[in-house]
Amino acid sequence: MTAGPPIDELHYEDAPNVDTVPGPQSRELLEKQREIDSSAVAYPEDIPVAFEEGSGATVRDVDGNTYIDMFAGIGVLNVGHANPYVLEAVHEQADKLVHTVDFPTEARLELIEKLDEIAPAGLQGNQKVVFGGPTGSDAIEASIKLAKYNTGGDGLIAFRGAYHGATTGAMSLTGNKSFKEHYSPLLSDVVHAPYPDPFRQEKAPQEAVDHALEEVRAIVEDPYGGLANPAGIFVEPIQGEGGVITPPEGFLQGLRDIADDNDIVLVFDEIQSGLGRTGEWWANDWEGVTPDVMTSAKALGGVGFPLSATIYHEDLDTWGSGDHAGTYRGHVVAMRAGTRTIEYIQEHDLLAHARELGSSIRDRLREVADGNDHIGEVRGRGLFIGAEFVDADGAPDSDFVDAVQQYCFEHGVLVWTAGRHGNVLRLLPPLVLTEDLAETALDVVADAIEHVTAEMQQTA
């Protein structure tokens, strides 16, 4: 197997095919989970299902119901569930060696070289990589340390609407106040600037960018800006949990200019937006803006293996031996999976596929929006797509999105939500989603929107 099967051979042929959901076995396992698992478990509250197996952009539950997956484990499964090209290497590696801390292995060095091959132009050939633990939060923590270590500063700039993770440093950068209110105080000297969101801010795109950059520059340069010793700017090139907020052109370059003018580190969080999600290897490639540091996780582990990485310019490689550590920075199975994932994306031209299919999906959603006042905006890049829903007064309408999600679930399509107010329908399908599956899934989404609209009109 040189590059694995084509994408149209990866999926269950019967998707979508559902009976009553949740089925009896799912209900049994959900009840058992409620009895013995943590009260922090959240996802089954929105989609009550117990999964059994997956293939490509389709997944099956324990009752035999088959779904089209437009969620992909929050953007983890970019090459699909159980991709055979990735799993071939996984099985081979797992039979030999799994854990090596940071001793050299072919798997480790191959992935570093592969990441350099797809790096943004300004990092290619002069980057270093430090691997981390199982979540994107680990990569964010490493990038915070790297920024502080190299600048001598301690102040951090992040953005409203941001999500960077659940560990202390990453949570400090995250904008969601309710998410972190029980754990304060967190890191001191973290300031959140506005992120340009023309739709919600009711500004023209350039006006939104100018306002955001003016605030960031004031935080850094104004003698009374409040942040005494800035070390770095941390930003998602497209906000994910914030609602698939896609900033207008000029925002990332403006941050690059501010960072350069003030000798501070610019960090792009590409954990959700990277590895082909937007139709480019990295979301920052759309703007041609290179960060000093870039974080990756989620899809980096190929088919769901836990692995994170902090990729940074070699000029910042000033750490001494052991200055950053972590037990699982040697997960060689995940590293083999990561390399195979990149190869599969390359060999099957999934970047172009994501651009073309994503454009088609957004066009379809905009067609639905033309006849429905509940859809305020459709946005995104590649297969990173958001549709924001509003009520008759233009206010966020999370109830509408929740009802759409439930209808889709009952009809065999898994979608998710996002946004500060939970009113954004977020689509993060595997990059191996076919045109036929996408068309079927969007038929269900369109039917869901029409159904929920009619129900709301009846109750008005």
Side-chain angles (χ1 to χ4, degrees), residues 164-184:
H164 295 286
T167 52
T168 298
M171 197 185 302
S172 301
L173 298 173
T174 292
N176 188 335
K177 292 189 287 188
S178 64
F179 182 66
K180 58 187 185 179
E181 63 183 346
H182 297 295
Y183 311 107
S184 61

Side-chain angles (χ1 to χ4, degrees), residues 82-125:
N83 185 294
Y85 183 65
V86 178
L87 288 181
E88 178 189 55
V90 164
H91 294 312
E92 177 185 279
Q93 183 63 55
D95 287 340
K96 295 196 301 184
L97 187 66
V98 172
H99 174 68
T100 61
V101 197
D102 58 8
F103 291 101
T105 61
E106 287 186 2
R108 180 189 191 89
L109 302 180
E110 284 175 0
L111 181 54
I112 292 173
E113 290 175 341
K114 207 66 179 172
L115 288 170
D116 186 71
E117 182 181 318
I118 66 171
L123 286 177
Q124 205 167 80

